[in-house]
Amino acid sequence: MKQNKTQLTPEEKKLFGDLMPEDLEEVIHSGFNRRHFVKLMGLATAGLLASHLIGAEQLFARSLDLEEIPDLIPEAIENGVTVNFKVNSSLSKVTVDSRMTLLDTLRERIGLTGSKKGCDHGQCGACTVIVDGNRVLSCLTLAASCEGKSVITIEGLAKENELNPMQSAFLKHDGFQCGFCTPGQICSAVALMKEAKEGQASFITKDIREHRQGIMLSEEEISERMSGNICRCGAYPNIVAAIKEAQSGKSIEQSWLFAG
Ligand code: FES
Ligand code: FES
């Protein structure tokens, strides 16, 4: 049988020593089992745990050893597939469950937590990243489908200490409040520039047969094309101003001022 390798902390030893002194040695050597649990619950119902609440909190707040989480061991991954792709200019090779989304892979396996999980259902845009130049909802994209592709997240947009022009424009125009939607908004806005350059039509394009390239987006067009990115703080007018400035390269007056 697998040995319980969890060591008791000094606080836990003290707690058990106070509550069940006759069982302490056994708990230390063979781990905590059901018999101990039942006994502890009996003591709790008698109200004896009340004066040890601080000790009990320490007992449950202890961090886990990595080896105690079996699903991080590659052999334990169900239906594992190995994905080789480029993430923010670095080659990444990661073995994931074939059903794992790109969003979870970026956040939990590669450690890039800039892309946010809002709805996890393709409805809020917080998880938007750029795959081979196009914006995608990473919560609806399987990591396995990114083999050989290039993924850019918010962490990859700045060049060393130099912000991407879209990031600078968001700062200038105060395009965020709580900032939760901002990584997705900025990735979406950066990929939007490519869509505009290629003349891709949107829902409000009047004549989709007209050959258009390098179009300058109106405020209405920007709002429509960014409608998949939800901002619960309502920073929309400033986001539109930021995108307009980043696309035109012309300085647009700020519409906000610090309170005097
Ligand atoms: S988290 Fe992906 S769209 Fe909301
Ligand atoms: S800035 Fe708060 S959700 Fe957009």
Side-chain angles (χ1 to χ4, degrees), residues 103 116-127 137-140:
L103 176 61
K116 299 291 179 262
K117 187 184 277 197
C119 62
D120 208 18
H121 282 79
Q123 291 167 350
C124 72
C127 64
L137 297 172
S138 58
C139 72
L140 293 188

Side-chain angles (χ1 to χ4, degrees), residues 175-182 185 230-236 239:
F176 52 88
Q177 288 174 35
C178 79
F180 187 82
C181 70
T182 315
Q185 299 274 9
I230 309 296
C231 175
R232 64 186 171 184
C233 296
Y236 299 117
I239 291 171

